[in-house]
Amino acid sequence: MDWGWILFKTLVFPGLTFLLLVIFATFYLERKLVADMHGRTGPYYVGPYGLLQTVADIFKILQKEVIIHREADKLLFLVVPAVAFFMVALVAAFIPYSETLWIVSTPYDLVISLALLTSLPAIFLFAGWVSKSKYPFIGGIRVINQLISGEIPLWLAGLSVALWYGTFNYVEIVQKFDLIGFLVNLVGFVIFLVAILIVADRPPFDIPEAEQEIVYGFLTEYTGVGYLLLAGAKFLEIFVLAAMTVTLFLGGFKGPFLPGWVWFLIKIFTVYYLAFAIRASTPRIRLDQLIKFTWNILVPLALLNIVFILVIKAL
Amino acid sequence: MYKGAQIITEPIGKEGDLMVLNWGVQHPASGPMRIKVWLDGETIVKVENDPGYVTRNMEKMLEYRTWENAVVNVERICFIDDLGTILNWALAIEKLAEVEVPKNVEYFRVILAEVGRIVSHLIGVGGMFGALGVATPMMWVLSLREFYLDFLEHYSGYRISTAAIVPGGVRFEPTKEDMELLKKAIKETEKRWPEYKEVFKDNPTLVERYKGVGIIPKELVYKLGLRGPVARASGVAYDYRKTYPYSSYEDFNFNVVVKEEGDAYARFLVVLEEIEESVKIIKQAMEGMPEGDKWKVRVPKKIKAGETFSAVEWARGGIEYFVVSDGGTEPYRVKISAPSFMNIWALEYIAPGHKLADLATIFASLYICHGDLDR
Amino acid sequence: MGFENFVKLMKSYFGVEAEEYPQNHTAKTYLFKIKPEYIREVAKLLKENGFDFFHTLAPVDYSPKGRGLELNYFFENVEERIWILIKTEIPLDNPEIDSLHDIYPSLEACEREEWEKFGIFFKGHPRLKPLLLDDTLQGRWVLRKSYIPEPHRK
């Protein structure tokens, strides 16, 4: 075993440094793409194409004083963002960027990723709870609402892929990917896309962070490093979920001519673009409407999809 | 303690099983105003308004201004549509001083007032989308509003707070270039409007969120004296422009937009469709502008003693001034009765029973301007 | 008709005649000058005769002219398009008048505002508590003529 190579993978690519870059890139891309749909320019002055604007913003956030509510639990208040960040970063370790470029690969990749993602809302609820403030508290409770509506379609759609390919391992799933697999899993793909928007609190399902209703949800009381870690965790979550979508449904690193990781990033960009376009065009729905939507439409559809895949596989 | 005062001892935080939420003053959607919300889970039990964070005491301020200088204060009642408030001021002063303005001035005032209404309604439409967390419509309408602001800037020198109307006339003679800019703005509006309307009006998520929410029955309009788009969305066809025409509004052919439903979506539609009517009025006024080279009539520095009541249909509803003169160079007393001040109290009646998420949409659909709420 | 009925009743109950009020720029208006103690009865009559839209309450401080506080209530009959202005005068040293908030709920906020700015005590009003003004201005009755803003400027 080459320890140097493992260390490089963990710390540089596709590890920590790359993930930080991903946060920067997601932030920048979101601003630029949404601005384009608004008819604006977006970041422009700082650095070439405004690329350094995000850097400036992040350093601005880092300079801010860390304010802790006097009734808040100080230790937990500071620990929760770090925990959230590392939990998402852990999921990122399973993503295969090419046939050999991954940090961890086990026979149970998919299940572990889904389990880690499902335990995230509990952390966010905790972030709201330990803030000892009203808006974060409501935000935290709303995260649970998000959990009961989003995670089940996510699991069902994700597992339907595993059913079809007969494996939980990401690399094997990608290797077995072909046109038939794509077509069979098309319904699952749509369900998974909607579910990742719900799980990552993206508009139009950004109910736990609904600015016009509850300010910033569980993030309201956080400043400085804590805010950066939590917001970074949210951005990473989008990246991880997009990466999972690409791996499960779009053939991951597979593609002609270009190296695997380039294909991978191109596909992720497509999913990003979709998410940002939805953000720029769709107003937020209400929390009870979300539950109705998921439990009346999304979950039955996901169950039917599993039955459908079982039938196709038996044929 | 002075007579009638009460010490506020209500607990802030919780009350029994209810959570008391301070929705504002520092809140992304509230503006400078506090709304106390009693919450049972996510359901609103009770709402109490607490305005007054941007009070300037305009009525006292005006007692220390001359009749013409007061224009600058009056237009700042709400800067988004400043022209309607100055128009009302000019009408009140002309009534007091018994001055008649020529027809061409009246027509040009109508143009200015309608431009003000369009500018305000565009922001209103964007703001109602903004309450749902999507900023794209706001950006679109702002880019369209820019054309009207170009016209105002070219005419008066300022984009907002134009002081374009003065007692006795308008500030400057409109030039050919001004009119060209206005024509360009109208043309741009008509070009973009079909697309905007399609995107805004039939937006499924917007309909989902606004329809059936915050219903104001017709009786409540009378009970609370609601005005403007809020009243018209509840089936009360009350519009000063049609009911009691002023400044030659009787010459123009336009419809009063009335909806019967009374919900937030109806209020949204009223605001949206009134823009079309305003465009219609501006086009008619530009075509039918009478000849005339007198753009300002002398109004005496001292106005003889007397009182007057004047009202115009402003963007947010009827704005009413009660002006008293004692024969001096400045007003003796001015009472400003603002539409937002009346409309905001509807919130206490209609919000309970809704979800917390609906508070933002109901509040946005009431079309409040904090400037004229507090004055 | 509501308006004619109202004029008749006002004459028989309180002995006041309707006067033309041409100063209203907008609409046809009739003026009634009544004593402050009758305000509730007049308001009830107004409500019964279709004057159900309340516009505004405008007090004027005439103390430099040797008079008291004049209160102007504007009501409208929306169907007949007739406005009525009720004028009444209360002394400045004891500014009290009955509240009309239960007859016209739209007056509740207006009365609260005028209480705050003029110190008019509306008897029976449920929540006479600060509405618009800053705490430092409470109890100074800022719109009275005796309040000069200059000394309070920062």
Side-chain angles (χ1 to χ4, degrees):
Chain A
M1 208 181 276
D2 185 356
W3 285 104
W5 175 231
I6 290 178
L7 211 63
F8 174 79
K9 279 200 295 191
T10 323
L11 291 179
V12 186
F13 183 82
L16 207 60
T17 319
F18 175 70
L19 289 184
L20 290 177
L21 262 176
V22 159
I23 296 177
F24 279 78
T26 315
F27 206 4
Y28 174 78
L29 274 179
E30 175 162 17
R31 282 171 151 196
K32 211 68 180 168
L33 291 176
V34 169
D36 190 39
M37 285 160 215
H38 285 175
R40 297 185 286 122
T41 315
Y44 184 71
Y45 287 105
V46 188
Y49 306 104
L51 269 168
L52 294 177
Q53 180 69 49
T54 321
V55 183
D57 283 342
I58 285 178
F59 277 100
K60 183 205 76 177
I61 292 171
L62 281 174
Q63 285 169 14
K64 293 213 166 174
E65 185 191 352
V66 178
I67 302 166
I68 305 175
H69 194 295
R70 68 169 172 276
E71 284 181 21
D73 190 324
K74 286 192 182 55
L75 181 68
L76 280 177
F77 188 82
L78 292 172
V79 163
V80 159
V83 174
F85 186 84
F86 283 110
M87 274 180 71
V88 189
L90 221 57
V91 186
F94 291 92
I95 299 165
Y97 294 83
S98 77
E99 262 175 73
T100 47
L101 201 57
W102 31 257
I103 301 172
V104 191
S105 182
T106 65
Y108 307 107
D109 283 351
L110 179 59
V111 184
I112 297 172
S113 318
L114 285 175
L116 281 169
L117 284 170
T118 310
S119 41
L120 259 182
I123 308 286
F124 293 146
L125 166 72
F126 224 50
W129 183 278
V130 296
S131 297
K132 282 283 188 292
S133 177
K134 282 180 239 170
Y135 286 114
F137 177 71
I138 298 175
I141 300 292
R142 284 182 173 200
V143 171
I144 299 304
N145 173 60
Q146 215 73 358
L147 166 79
I148 49 179
S149 34
E151 301 285 355
I152 290 160
L154 187 82
W155 275 82
L156 290 175
L159 291 183
S160 70
V161 178
L163 264 178
W164 175 252
Y165 294 117
T167 171
F168 285 127
N169 186 297
Y170 281 148
V171 182
E172 281 179 35
I173 287 175
V174 174
Q175 277 164 346
K176 286 184 179 175
F177 174 84
D178 52 9
L179 192 64
I180 297 165
F182 173 72
L183 289 176
V184 167
N185 285 305
L186 206 55
V187 183
F189 174 54
V190 174
I191 296 168
F192 200 81
L193 259 186
V194 177
I196 67 168
L197 291 181
I198 300 175
V199 170
D201 308 336
R202 297 293 304 170
F205 309 111
D206 55 339
I207 296 163
E209 298 163 19
E211 195 190 347
Q212 283 74 15
E213 294 152 25
I214 51 167
V215 189
Y216 207 168
F218 55 87
L219 285 148
T220 309
E221 292 284 340
Y222 279 96
T223 55
V225 185
Y227 170 77
L228 195 65
L229 283 175
L230 263 184
K234 298 296 289 181
F235 277 118
L236 264 191
E237 200 185 354
I238 306 164
F239 172 74
V240 165
L241 285 163
M244 277 173 70
T245 318
V246 169
T247 312
L248 295 177
F249 297 97
L250 300 177
F253 49 78
K254 259 192 181 171
F257 311 126
L258 297 168
W261 60 275
V262 177
W263 271 112
F264 190 75
L265 291 181
I266 290 172
K267 285 172 185 173
I268 281 192
F269 181 80
T270 321
V271 178
Y272 269 11
Y273 193 83
L274 212 68
F276 297 149
I278 290 172
R279 174 194 155 170
S281 61
T282 319
R284 183 187 309 121
I285 65 169
R286 212 166 48 213
L287 152 154
D288 52 321
Q289 288 168 341
L290 171 66
I291 295 193
K292 259 185 213 145
F293 167 68
T294 46
W295 283 92
N296 286 348
I297 299 171
L298 219 53
V299 174
L301 202 65
L303 285 170
L304 282 177
N305 180 44
I306 285 195
V307 174
F308 166 74
I309 283 175
L310 283 176
V311 169
I312 296 275
K313 207 168 158 81
L315 285 176
Chain B
M1 286 305 277
Y2 47 92
K3 194 168 185 183
Q6 294 172 358
I7 304 164
I8 303 169
T9 51
E10 297 148 20
I12 292 179
K14 64 183 172 67
E15 204 174 289
D17 293 342
L18 305 180
M19 178 191 265
V20 184
L21 202 62
N22 288 310
W23 204 77
V25 180
Q26 294 183 3
H27 188 281
S30 71
M33 149 172 201
R34 182 169 74 132
I35 300 172
K36 273 175 86 176
V37 189
W38 279 257
L39 275 181
D40 181 6
E42 281 270 336
T43 314
I44 299 168
V45 178
K46 193 179 138 193
V47 164
E48 206 175 290
N49 297 327
D50 180 14
Y53 288 87
V54 285
T55 307
R56 293 154 287 177
N57 217 348
M58 187 78 78
E59 292 167 11
K60 189 75 180 178
M61 211 146 59
L62 289 175
E63 291 173 16
Y64 291 81
R65 300 285 185 276
T66 61
W67 295 103
E68 191 169 334
N69 280 354
V71 164
V72 181
N73 289 65
V74 160
E75 71 177 352
R76 279 163 176 76
I77 288 176
C78 179
F79 74 89
I80 296 173
D81 175 8
D82 53 326
L83 294 150
T85 50
I86 328 173
L87 175 60
N88 197 13
W89 180 253
L91 290 176
I93 305 310
E94 282 153 20
K95 176 78 182 171
L96 266 178
E98 290 174 359
V99 172
E100 291 264 321
V101 295
K103 199 86 172 163
N104 54 339
V105 171
E106 289 198 333
Y107 269 56
F108 192 62
R109 280 178 173 181
V110 166
I111 292 178
L112 287 174
E114 294 303 321
V115 167
R117 191 187 316 280
I118 292 176
V119 165
S120 176
H121 278 6
L122 283 176
I123 291 194
V125 168
M128 287 185 202
F129 271 97
L132 300 177
V134 53
T136 315
M138 189 59 158
M139 298 298 161
W140 287 13
V141 294
L142 282 181
S143 74
L144 179 58
R145 174 174 175 262
E146 216 51 31
F147 287 92
Y148 290 96
L149 294 188
D150 283 347
F151 158 69
L152 289 177
E153 186 183 6
H154 198 269
Y155 172 67
S156 71
Y158 296 93
R159 287 151 49 83
I160 51 173
S161 301
T162 51
I165 301 171
V166 287
V170 287
R171 196 165 286 279
F172 308 107
E173 181 184 344
T175 59
K176 215 170 215 160
E177 291 90 55
D178 293 334
M179 286 314 188
E180 283 304 316
L181 276 172
L182 186 56
K183 265 184 203 141
K184 198 176 146 203
I186 294 284
K187 219 171 126 189
E188 194 66 30
T189 314
E190 284 177 340
K191 200 178 100 195
R192 294 190 190 182
W193 202 246
E195 188 197 344
Y196 279 20
K197 212 173 165 182
E198 193 189 319
V199 174
F200 294 169
K201 201 174 168 180
D202 307 326
N203 192 312
T205 325
L206 180 98
V207 175
E208 184 101 326
R209 285 295 304 273
Y210 270 71
K211 212 158 203 166
V213 167
I215 296 172
I216 297 182
K218 208 169 178 176
E219 301 82 58
L220 199 63
V221 174
Y222 289 108
K223 197 174 158 189
L224 294 179
L226 307 182
R227 300 176 191 165
V230 177
R232 290 197 283 278
S234 296
V236 181
Y238 198 100
D239 188 328
Y240 276 109
R241 291 176 293 173
K242 264 275 196 283
T243 333
Y244 306 112
Y246 56 90
S247 191
S248 297
Y249 262 108
E250 63 274 13
D251 296 359
F252 304 112
N253 176 25
F254 66 99
N255 304 323
V256 177
V257 184
V258 183
K259 303 277 166 195
E260 294 297 328
E261 294 86 359
D263 56 358
Y265 188 58
R267 292 194 278 281
F268 170 75
L269 284 185
V270 167
V271 173
L272 190 71
E273 284 170 22
E274 273 187 11
I275 299 173
E276 292 168 36
E277 299 299 323
S278 292
V279 169
K280 254 161 76 180
I281 295 174
I282 292 178
K283 276 167 84 179
Q284 288 171 38
M286 280 204 304
E287 275 167 24
M289 177 88 89
E291 291 292 314
D293 51 357
K294 206 165 163 56
W295 293 94
K296 201 175 167 192
V297 185
R298 217 187 87 79
V299 174
K301 281 262 182 296
K302 285 190 176 180
I303 290 178
K304 67 183 168 65
E307 58 184 51
T308 186
F309 180 90
S310 172
V312 301
E313 188 66 28
W314 183 49
R316 281 150 219 277
I319 188 156
E320 300 160 352
Y321 299 156
F322 179 72
V323 187
V324 181
S325 164
D326 66 341
T329 54
E330 49 209 33
Y332 184 74
R333 160 97 170 106
V334 182
K335 163 78 192 178
I336 302 164
S337 175
S340 296
F341 184 73
M342 308 303 274
N343 290 353
I344 188 67
W345 302 101
L347 192 68
E348 293 190 355
Y349 284 79
I350 58 176
H354 286 95
K355 295 269 178 283
L356 177 63
D358 288 329
L359 189 63
T361 57
I362 295 174
F363 184 76
S365 77
L366 282 178
Y367 201 28
I368 302 295
C369 174
H370 296 276
D372 79 301
L373 170 59
D374 289 359
R375 298 179 307 278
Chain C
M1 292 298 280
F3 173 64
E4 286 155 22
N5 194 24
F6 179 72
V7 172
K8 220 163 62 197
L9 288 172
M10 284 296 279
K11 181 140 176 63
S12 62
Y13 286 0
F14 307 109
V16 284
E17 297 271 2
E19 297 170 34
E20 287 265 355
Y21 183 75
Q23 279 90 340
N24 190 341
H25 193 281
T26 1
K28 201 167 180 57
T29 310
Y30 293 92
L31 163 69
F32 290 90
K33 284 184 178 157
I34 60 155
K35 287 185 179 160
E37 48 268 35
Y38 298 145
I39 189 74
R40 274 189 77 82
E41 282 72 25
V42 172
K44 273 178 200 156
L45 270 187
L46 276 165
K47 186 95 179 176
E48 281 161 16
N49 288 298
F51 287 87
D52 46 6
F53 201 90
F54 166 75
H55 276 274
T56 184
L57 161 61
V60 187
D61 180 8
Y62 279 116
S63 53
K65 317 263 178 212
R67 288 160 62 197
L69 275 168
E70 189 190 76
L71 270 69
N72 301 282
Y73 292 83
F74 285 88
F75 297 96
E76 188 191 357
N77 188 331
V78 177
E79 273 160 31
E80 294 178 38
R81 294 196 181 179
I82 290 177
W83 289 47
I84 278 187
L85 166 58
I86 304 285
K87 263 188 199 289
T88 181
E89 201 167 308
I90 53 176
L92 194 68
D93 48 354
N94 184 24
E96 278 193 349
I97 194 160
D98 283 320
S99 169
L100 303 180
H101 76 275
D102 47 343
I103 307 168
Y104 287 96
S106 45
L107 255 155
E108 186 187 322
C110 297
E111 285 181 345
R112 210 170 139 191
E113 188 192 348
E114 304 310 342
W115 164 78
E116 188 180 36
K117 290 181 174 172
F118 276 97
I120 303 165
F121 183 58
F122 292 93
K123 282 181 282 184
H125 193 285
R127 47 171 178 179
L128 283 184
K129 54 184 189 188
L131 178 64
L132 293 179
L133 293 183
D134 190 67
D135 287 351
T136 55
L137 290 174
Q138 293 296 334
R140 288 182 186 273
W141 318 135
V142 290
L143 283 188
R144 285 189 188 180
K145 287 290 171 188
S146 54
Y147 177 83
I148 315 284
E150 267 85 18
H152 303 288
R153 233 175 233 163
K154 275 183 189 150

